Amino acid sequence: MSDTTMREYLAEHPKMAGALFTLLMLLSQAGSAAAANSSSYVGP
């Protein structure tokens, strides 16, 4: 999908822009939490 097509789509559907932003924020936080969780290894 080209930039202009995405821009036009989001201009016609402003709620989708908010939904995409929220999804990206949740994914970025989940990625950070997963990376932090896997690096904390407690062993003998």
Side-chain angles (χ1 to χ4, degrees):
M1 186 179 274
S2 67
D3 289 341
T4 56
T5 306
M6 183 62 106
R7 220 177 299 146
E8 291 170 359
Y9 178 79
L10 292 176
E12 293 174 4
H13 304 90
K15 287 185 179 180
M16 187 58 73
L20 287 173
F21 178 75
T22 303
L23 181 64
L24 288 174
M25 292 300 293
L26 288 173
L27 286 174
S28 68
Q29 291 177 2
S32 297
N37 190 17
S38 65
S39 64
S40 60
Y41 174 74
V42 178

